[in-house]
Amino acid sequence: SKKAFELYLRAADLGSLRACTNVSKAYETGVGTEIDIDKARFYLEKGAKLGQISARAAYQPSLVEIAEGYKRGMLSKEEYTEVLRASQKTKSESWSKDRETAARIHGWSLDDGKTRL
């Protein structure tokens, strides 16, 4: 709806990654707004930049969003590879036996983006 689009647009302008993705899709498909491919690309790129920051920190939902951006042709192979390498480096640097043991005891996954450690 138009109201939902307006709220997502406001959230995207305030820096919400998910809102950037939703606004981009809305502009691409014309749901709640006019089709505008330039604006769709702008918000997808803005979201990609926000997503790269959290994806580099190995935040799983952001990695999924980055993969979607790559599949849609909004990120180059080089950009996508760079984010994946940075994410893997972060995961490697933050790994510890104690963290792994605590996650196993509490039933937390270290890869789901919801780890509370």
Side-chain angles (χ1 to χ4, degrees):
S1 78
K2 186 171 175 66
K3 182 66 175 175
F5 171 78
E6 290 170 1
L7 292 171
Y8 275 126
L9 182 60
R10 185 172 175 202
D13 288 339
L14 291 171
S16 167
L17 168 60
R18 184 165 306 278
C20 285
T21 302
N22 289 334
V23 168
S24 175
K25 288 178 184 176
Y27 276 127
E28 185 176 24
T29 61
V31 174
T33 189
E34 301 280 327
I35 291 176
D36 188 326
I37 300 304
D38 290 334
K39 287 183 181 178
R41 179 174 284 280
F42 170 81
Y43 281 99
L44 190 62
E45 288 174 356
K46 180 177 181 169
K49 288 175 186 171
L50 293 168
Q52 285 182 17
I53 293 166
S54 57
R56 288 171 189 270
Y59 183 61
Q60 190 64 28
S62 292
L63 289 169
V64 171
E65 292 290 334
I66 293 295
E68 281 300 312
Y70 174 67
K71 288 178 190 174
R72 292 171 64 196
M74 301 297 185
L75 291 171
S76 70
K77 184 176 182 178
E78 292 78 23
E79 291 170 316
Y80 181 59
T81 302
E82 179 184 334
V83 170
L84 292 179
R85 284 189 181 133
S87 174
Q88 186 58 47
K89 181 179 178 191
T90 299
K91 286 170 77 174
S92 296
E93 289 172 352
S94 66
W95 181 89
S96 76
K97 187 69 172 165
D98 291 339
R99 182 176 178 181
E100 186 178 281
T101 300
R104 191 172 49 255
I105 289 169
H106 294 287
W108 298 332
S109 169
L110 294 176
D111 292 322
D112 68 359
K114 298 177 186 173
T115 303
R116 293 183 253 172
L117 295 176

